[in-house]
Amino acid sequence: MNPLSAFSHEVRRMLRERLTLLFMAVTVAITVWFCLNSSGTTAVDAYILIPSKYSAFLGALLFTLLTLVQFHRDYRNNTDNIILSYTNPIFYHLRRTLSLIGMAAITTLLSSVFTLPYALIKTGAYFQADTFFASWYLIFFGALTLSILLTSGFYMLFKRVEAAFIIMIGLIILSGLLDYHRYDLNPSYLLFWVQTNAEDFSDLVSNQFQIDTIQWNRLFCFPVALGVWIFGLSSIRRYGHGFLSSFIENSRQIWPPVSLVLTITLAGICWSAEPIFDNSIPMDLYVGKTEEVQDSGTGLFTFSFGDDEDENTELLLTDKKADVTIDTDNRTLTGEAVYSIENLTGEKQTLSLALNPGYTIKKAKVNGQEVKAIRDGVEQNNEATWYIDIPADKLTTVEVTYGGHIENNRSLSQTPWSGICREYVRIPRTCFSPSTNISAVEDLAFTWSLRLDEQLVPEFSGSLVEKLDTINGKVRWSGTENDRRNISLTAADYHTKTFEAGGLTIDFIYFAKHENEMANMDAIKVMKAAIDYFTEVYGPLVYRDHLAMLELPATFSGGYAAGNTSAMDETHFAAAGFLPGETDNPDNGSGIDTIIHEIAHQWWGLATFLKTDDHSYWSAEGVTCYSTYRFLEHYYGQAYAKERFIDVWQRNWQTYENAFYVQHPDYLAKLSKSDASNVMRNLQSIGLYNIMPLQILQAETALGGSEALMKKLSELYQNNLFGFITYEDFLSTTGLTEEVLNIAQKDNL
Amino acid sequence: MRKKTIFNYEFKRLVSSREYLLLLVTLLVYCVSLLRTSVIFGTDYTAPFSQWTFCDYLSSVTVLLHILLLAMCAQQFTPSERGMSPIINAAPMPLKTFKAIRYGAIALAFAIAVILSIGICFVFYGVIFDYTAFGELILTALIMLFPSVLLVFGIAMLLGEKKTVLIYTLLTVILITGIFRIPLPSFLDIIGSSSILPLYEGTHTFTFTLPFIAGRIVFIAVGIGCIGRSLSPAKNRRKTRASSHTLS
């Protein structure tokens, strides 16, 4: 019998077996059940991704059992010795494994008969073929295939059905546990072998960054599983020998050991060369050097480095130019940056340039002479440092040509937020041009230009930009910054609606796919009302031209405010949330709170900087939460605002008061520095978002009402525009004392 | 003397099996990771050594403990074990006694896993927090674990006699309940995760709810019933059924 007909015979045999058909039918039924009963943050999430992830878990479990049944059947029926006496066991097990993978493929295709039309109907205009393919064929079918390879590998290795089953159960549980601990342990996305770590798929823009992680996960997991399978195959017991003798006997055919080495090597390469995340050292290791500057209001923290202490004052940056091109086909950024530097010492110096770790400096020139740029091995805060030697000359020009694929910050999360693809570009500040730590002249002008596909509409977080020309389908944008900081940008197929509010022109930039929904909902009315309200009670925003309200993909899971931009993810624009007349709960999708919160940050956090301290929970978050509450009370009424804000703050304050580590701060000393810091961070969050707003409410009562306090806050805002505001400033402006407002002692901790 | 020899043999066979050792190592690694990443912070801001946090820890560990228990139960019904039954039946020792000895060996091997997983937690409490008042915690552990273990063991032994695959089905059910965190009513909660629900509903003083306790009492009764029934030889049970059928 030739190999092909032997394989087709094995497939036919399996398809005739009632047990196999039962396993396949149950797996298909599970996919249908999860499609009908899953929920998610977006339509693609709810009707494609989540059902495929849950189905992958149960599918992996069922195919583990099916594989064991199939591999154990000869032993159970006492036919193994007869069969293996006339057939090569290696090819016999290969046929059986391939047939099982064939069963998995048939199961997936049968599932698709329901999942595809269901996804098409439910997601409608938001359907994305690549997302469907990644979810059902890479995640679900991938999980089935991996479970077949691993189970058969372990079975052949141990020759014990119980041992193989238990190991597989352990591996399935491990994959689930990784998901459960993804935020505290931040495990590598390559390890989520069943369901991958993809989440919060967007309806409105490409999910390519997340699909990349799924592809790399499978690219790593497949050779690992194949390695286990080949190892198992190589150790099939021969002639009654033990493990080692059988392994040597099986290795007489050269291909099993060679394949084993190849798969292990491939898995190792995939692990070390994965291109999506950098190797930034974990936050805990440099926690002392960071400063938390901003919270999105939804739990998303961003950090910045206090680089003043590391500033190189021996060199002075007098001018910087960067010419950047984004290639969406190759998904790379390339650029040339020119630095004019004054050497203040008259001695040779070293210039350090920080770049995204995915970039390389391809060429470096100092005063027109080509020089070597040396990369530091350490990656930190999504940057790798390159060093270039500078001569003793007073004036030096440094030119660098750089570029590459963007790598995301591994130390923060294993969710890729940044990158380049045809439909969506997200370039954080660390990725535009090499930044330097040398001091700069006060009137520094950083002039930049950017070439970007014309179908992508960029938003530059407050930078003043000019559209220069369009050549070969690429638009050239240009701008000038007054400091050495890089620019950041988000680009997609955006539509912009412009309206007037608070004396400013507001650009509401949202995804083109959201056009109909935005027209039907009253988002602009709420935003306009909020901006008008805050302008009236606190004073106008002082911006050069406009304020941008930016819609982000669901992956961001929250929002942020930076420059003159307030941004929030697509899930906050749920129609129900903006149609108060049509629902008892105007904030059905919990979107308005975040939008108003991020708008309020324009006054508190961006136009003024509220300085945190060691003895209070004073920060931009407290005043912003209070402002959000005040506006929503004004807009929706007292009952709504009390339930959504005051009641929640009081509940959380009670939790804080009862918290073990608050009542017994001495126990914090027993913990390690990083554990204590994690405990503090959780409590700090309650302090910032719940206790401080309550303290501000207390101030309101002490001053005789909200109007009096709003006046004081307005005074505080207008007197400190673009300056720092401390808790002491707040107390002196309101004329209150710390004791009056102190409902929770931070310095207990 | 013979009973002791059989017990020792069965116990050694269990604890030196690859399945037991593998699961025990997995269990201990999981316990350490739970202590380091979850228990240390305390459940919902309670003390790391509060009964709430301890219950949370135990309910997380219970899934793996049940898997370990079921794996040991399944070992009693492998084809080779079934093949040995004519020899065992022919032995002068009553089958009931032999089974009881095997149950004892399983109980001891399982108790070691439980003691280690609780012990590692107590060592953690002692070393990190200087906390040594374990009396209440031991009682909590008994209420959390003992009834559900008795129930799972009893059902597994009863089902295993019919078909080994039924034990794996039970294991799968427990696994799915654990992985997907399927919320069970307090009186049916074999995992024990509902024990901390009162905390999230605003109760700060630790107490087990009445349905939870009632469920535990039922678990013990059903568990003992199942174990008792599984101890009697299947042949006798069939005889009893047949005679009662004839009488009616």
Side-chain angles (χ1 to χ4, degrees):
Chain A
M1 199 183 278
N2 68 46
L4 203 64
S5 59
F7 171 65
S8 96
H9 179 266
E10 180 70 10
V11 170
R12 280 203 306 276
R13 182 194 65 74
M14 273 193 198
L15 283 173
R16 275 199 300 269
E17 256 188 25
R18 272 184 295 179
L19 194 67
T20 309
L21 294 176
L22 178 70
F23 272 101
M24 290 166 68
V26 172
T27 311
V28 173
I30 282 166
T31 61
V32 172
W33 193 86
F34 278 124
C35 278
L36 296 173
N37 292 288
S38 296
S39 60
T41 54
T42 61
V44 169
D45 217 30
Y47 301 118
I48 299 177
L49 179 67
I50 303 287
S52 74
K53 287 179 71 166
Y54 280 133
S55 303
F57 262 115
L58 283 183
L61 195 62
L62 287 170
F63 269 76
T64 294
L65 290 172
L66 179 62
T67 308
L68 288 174
V69 168
Q70 288 297 340
F71 270 74
H72 195 56
R73 67 193 293 279
D74 297 333
Y75 181 79
R76 198 183 56 221
N77 299 331
N78 295 320
T79 53
D80 51 338
N81 289 330
I82 303 165
I83 292 169
L84 297 179
S85 64
Y86 68 83
T87 184
N88 182 328
I90 289 182
F91 290 110
Y92 180 69
H93 286 110
L94 177 65
R95 276 198 299 277
R96 186 150 285 180
T97 309
L98 287 177
S99 302
L100 279 164
I101 293 174
M103 297 304 114
I106 293 169
T107 306
T108 310
L109 289 174
L110 285 173
S111 301
S112 303
V113 172
F114 176 81
T115 54
L116 179 61
Y118 184 76
L120 278 166
I121 292 164
K122 287 303 226 180
T123 57
Y126 300 140
F127 182 79
Q128 296 177 28
D130 57 351
T131 302
F132 182 86
F133 181 86
S135 301
W136 283 107
Y137 299 113
L138 289 179
I139 296 178
F140 176 67
F141 175 60
L144 301 190
T145 308
L146 292 172
S147 63
I148 291 167
L149 288 173
L150 289 168
T151 310
S152 48
F154 286 126
Y155 178 79
M156 290 185 284
L157 195 61
F158 295 112
K159 284 289 282 177
R160 291 281 293 273
V161 74
E162 300 88 354
F165 181 70
I166 286 165
I167 291 173
M168 285 306 294
I169 293 299
L171 288 176
I172 292 170
I173 291 177
L174 175 74
S175 200
L177 285 176
L178 289 175
D179 227 347
Y180 186 66
H181 290 294
R182 63 191 298 163
Y183 298 111
D184 42 349
L185 297 181
N186 195 18
S188 167
Y189 72 97
L190 296 174
L191 299 174
F192 295 66
W193 74 274
V194 178
Q195 78 287 26
T196 76
N197 77 334
E199 62 173 0
D200 296 333
F201 270 13
S202 170
D203 282 341
L204 309 170
V205 74
S206 169
N207 293 299
Q208 189 58 55
F209 303 163
Q210 297 243 49
I211 293 172
D212 290 344
T213 62
I214 298 173
Q215 286 170 343
W216 273 93
N217 172 283
R218 286 335 192 195
L219 212 56
F220 168 72
C221 289
F222 187 72
V224 169
L226 198 60
V228 171
W229 185 80
I230 295 170
F231 189 46
L233 198 69
S234 308
S235 42
I236 292 171
R237 308 301 186 269
R238 305 290 293 267
Y239 315 119
H241 290 164
F243 166 77
L244 200 62
S245 306
S246 301
F247 187 82
I248 293 165
E249 181 64 37
N250 288 322
S251 301
R252 287 190 179 187
Q253 297 180 68
I254 194 70
W255 68 267
V258 169
S259 311
L260 184 61
V261 172
L262 280 178
T263 48
I264 292 170
T265 311
L266 186 62
I269 291 171
C270 289
W271 177 270
S272 56
E274 70 81 22
I276 301 167
F277 293 96
D278 65 8
N279 294 313
S280 286
I281 54 175
M283 295 297 283
D284 284 351
L285 299 183
Y286 55 83
V287 75
K289 297 182 188 172
T290 61
E291 184 191 355
E292 191 179 300
V293 290
Q294 187 189 317
D295 189 307
S296 66
T298 52
L300 181 71
F301 285 87
T302 55
F303 294 84
S304 80
F305 281 77
D307 56 356
D308 288 349
E309 63 190 73
D310 300 328
E311 190 173 89
N312 180 354
T313 50
E314 295 178 336
L315 295 173
L316 188 67
L317 183 66
T318 56
D319 189 48
K320 179 181 171 183
K321 289 186 177 68
D323 185 13
V324 175
T325 302
I326 291 175
D327 181 349
T328 53
D329 289 334
N330 291 318
R331 306 183 58 190
T332 55
L333 179 146
T334 50
E336 284 176 23
V338 181
Y339 303 80
S340 300
I341 295 166
E342 200 177 317
N343 188 341
L344 303 175
T345 60
E347 289 171 12
K348 283 183 181 174
Q349 291 287 330
T350 302
L351 172 70
S352 65
L353 295 172
L355 263 171
N356 181 275
Y359 294 172
T360 51
I361 291 185
K362 292 162 187 166
K363 200 195 280 181
K365 283 182 182 175
V366 173
N367 294 332
Q369 296 285 316
E370 202 159 316
V371 294
K372 226 178 186 181
I374 296 163
R375 189 187 195 273
D376 193 311
V378 179
E379 294 171 18
Q380 194 168 290
N381 200 30
N382 202 214
E383 285 179 333
T385 308
W386 293 72
Y387 298 104
I388 294 172
D389 287 335
I390 301 284
D393 307 0
K394 187 162 174 65
L395 296 175
T396 304
T397 304
V398 178
E399 297 164 60
V400 289
T401 307
Y402 61 95
H405 292 271
I406 291 173
E407 285 185 358
N408 285 264
N409 191 343
R410 177 185 295 270
S411 68
L412 285 181
S413 147
Q414 296 264 328
T415 302
W417 286 309
S418 308
I420 296 167
C421 69
R422 281 192 186 151
E423 278 186 53
Y424 180 63
V425 171
R426 170 92 191 157
I427 310 280
R429 288 190 190 276
T430 55
C431 300
F432 189 77
S433 70
S435 57
T436 175
N437 67 341
I438 61 174
S439 53
V441 291
E442 270 186 23
D443 57 345
L444 176 78
F446 165 32
T447 314
W448 56 266
S449 74
L450 170 74
R451 286 181 184 80
L452 183 69
D453 293 0
E454 63 180 339
Q455 79 272 12
L456 295 174
V457 178
E459 200 286 322
F460 290 96
S461 290
S463 300
L464 263 182
V465 295
E466 194 184 348
K467 194 175 177 178
L468 295 178
D469 50 35
T470 306
I471 304 165
N472 296 332
K474 283 201 184 286
V475 176
R476 193 151 62 100
W477 302 85
S478 169
T480 303
E481 304 298 307
N482 292 326
D483 56 32
R484 62 183 179 186
R485 284 200 313 165
N486 263 320
I487 63 156
S488 67
L489 74 111
T490 307
D493 185 8
Y494 276 128
H495 281 184
T496 304
K497 268 199 177 117
T498 304
F499 60 94
E500 299 288 326
L504 278 172
T505 301
I506 315 292
D507 289 334
F508 177 34
I509 305 163
Y510 56 92
F511 294 113
K513 275 193 182 176
H514 235 168
E515 180 68 50
N516 291 337
E517 284 72 12
M518 288 298 180
N520 292 334
M521 68 178 73
D522 222 351
I524 289 178
K525 189 179 163 195
V526 178
M527 285 190 270
K528 182 174 162 35
I531 294 166
D532 283 336
Y533 176 83
F534 291 137
T535 306
E536 192 188 321
V537 297
Y538 296 138
L541 286 172
V542 191
Y543 282 120
R544 289 174 291 187
D545 60 344
H546 70 288
L547 180 67
M549 307 295 299
L550 178 70
E551 188 178 21
L552 296 169
T555 325
F556 267 84
S557 196
Y560 70 86
N564 70 342
T565 302
S566 287
M568 51 236 86
D569 80 63
E570 66 191 73
T571 60
H572 295 110
F573 295 94
F578 290 86
L579 300 168
E582 291 186 17
T583 168
D584 290 339
N585 180 2
D587 188 15
N588 217 16
S590 85
I592 292 176
D593 291 4
T594 310
I595 291 169
I596 306 305
H597 184 101
E598 301 307 340
I599 289 174
H601 262 310
Q602 290 293 338
W603 279 262
W604 308 104
L606 292 170
T608 56
F609 311 113
L610 280 70
K611 204 172 178 184
T612 54
D613 56 46
D614 297 335
H615 56 274
S616 76
Y617 285 118
W618 178 252
S619 83
E621 299 306 336
V623 190
T624 302
C625 287
Y626 171 79
S627 304
T628 308
Y629 154 71
R630 272 285 157 234
F631 168 73
L632 288 171
E633 186 200 36
H634 159 80
Y635 199 73
Y636 289 132
Q638 170 69 31
Y640 169 80
K642 184 180 176 299
E643 188 195 330
R644 296 299 300 260
F645 291 89
I646 297 180
D647 292 353
V648 173
W649 294 339
Q650 278 175 338
R651 261 203 310 276
N652 288 337
W653 175 43
Q654 282 308 312
T655 303
Y656 177 96
E657 285 289 281
N658 293 325
F660 171 74
Y661 285 110
V662 171
Q663 291 194 344
H664 305 277
D666 45 316
Y667 276 94
L668 275 174
K670 297 177 190 285
L671 303 183
S672 70
K673 223 175 178 180
S674 68
D675 287 337
S677 137
N678 281 333
V679 171
M680 295 278 284
R681 195 182 300 167
N682 287 338
L683 293 168
Q684 179 92 349
S685 176
I686 299 183
L688 296 176
Y689 290 93
N690 300 274
I691 294 174
M692 184 44 72
L694 281 175
Q695 285 181 280
I696 297 173
L697 272 183
Q698 195 139 320
E700 191 183 284
T701 312
L703 289 173
S706 61
E707 256 181 54
L709 178 68
M710 290 301 224
K711 265 187 195 159
K712 295 289 180 192
L713 285 175
S714 166
E715 205 178 298
L716 200 62
Y717 167 75
Q718 294 188 28
N719 291 339
N720 295 282
L721 272 174
F722 298 110
F724 286 100
I725 302 175
T726 61
Y727 191 40
E728 284 67 36
D729 293 334
F730 171 72
L731 292 175
S732 65
T733 305
T734 52
L736 300 169
T737 60
E738 213 163 328
E739 289 70 36
V740 174
L741 307 181
N742 222 0
I743 58 172
Q745 293 278 346
K746 185 185 177 184
D747 38 8
N748 274 354
L749 295 179
Chain B
M1 181 62 194
R2 258 183 68 224
K3 284 178 190 167
K4 196 181 166 192
T5 311
I6 295 170
F7 179 85
N8 285 345
Y9 169 75
E10 289 292 333
F11 175 70
K12 273 184 198 162
R13 204 162 63 96
L14 275 173
V15 295
S16 59
S17 69
R18 270 178 288 195
E19 291 86 356
Y20 180 83
L21 292 172
L22 206 70
L23 277 169
L24 192 66
V25 170
T26 313
L27 177 75
L28 295 181
V29 169
Y30 182 51
C31 287
V32 172
S33 93
L34 273 177
L35 293 169
R36 293 286 307 118
T37 60
S38 170
V39 172
I40 197 165
F41 303 119
T43 299
D44 199 31
Y45 301 100
T46 59
F49 40 80
S50 71
Q51 280 162 290
W52 295 114
T53 306
F54 188 63
C55 277
D56 199 9
Y57 167 76
L58 283 180
S59 65
S60 303
V61 171
T62 301
V63 180
L64 270 179
L65 283 173
H66 281 332
I67 289 171
L68 178 77
L69 179 65
L70 289 172
M72 287 194 289
C73 293
Q75 274 185 320
Q76 310 304 312
F77 302 103
T78 56
S80 54
E81 290 293 332
R82 286 188 196 278
M84 268 174 60
S85 65
I87 304 162
I88 294 166
N89 288 340
M93 179 182 278
L95 190 61
K96 211 172 182 175
T97 313
F98 180 72
K99 278 187 176 179
I101 292 170
R102 277 193 158 178
Y103 287 8
I106 294 175
L108 184 61
F110 182 72
I112 289 173
V114 172
I115 289 167
L116 281 176
S117 51
I118 292 176
I120 208 168
C121 180
F122 287 173
V123 169
F124 178 78
Y125 286 162
V127 171
I128 306 282
F129 302 105
D130 301 327
Y131 183 84
T132 49
F134 300 135
E136 273 183 339
L137 298 182
I138 291 170
L139 187 67
T140 307
L142 278 175
I143 295 171
M144 283 281 287
L145 290 176
F146 185 67
S148 68
V149 165
L150 218 55
L151 179 75
V152 169
F153 179 67
I155 292 175
M157 295 314 279
L158 211 55
L159 293 176
E161 280 198 356
K162 293 186 192 308
K163 273 204 158 191
T164 318
V165 74
L166 292 175
I167 295 183
Y168 288 111
T169 311
L170 181 63
L171 193 154
T172 309
V173 170
I174 290 175
L175 195 69
I176 291 170
T177 313
I179 286 184
F180 290 97
R181 296 177 188 275
I182 296 170
L184 294 169
S186 294
F187 59 91
L188 280 180
D189 186 9
I190 52 167
I191 308 291
S193 51
S194 67
S195 61
I196 54 165
L197 284 183
L199 175 67
Y200 293 111
E201 286 159 5
T203 308
H204 291 288
T205 313
F206 180 80
T207 173
F208 285 117
T209 60
L210 205 59
F212 189 85
I213 294 289
R216 259 44 201 167
I217 293 168
V218 174
F219 286 176
I220 293 172
V222 175
I224 290 172
C226 288
I227 291 170
R229 198 163 168 73
S230 71
L231 274 173
S232 61
K235 216 194 296 179
N236 288 356
R237 288 213 298 274
R238 274 201 296 277
K239 266 186 196 165
T240 316
R241 271 205 303 274
S243 59
S244 65
H245 196 69
T246 316
L247 284 173
S248 64

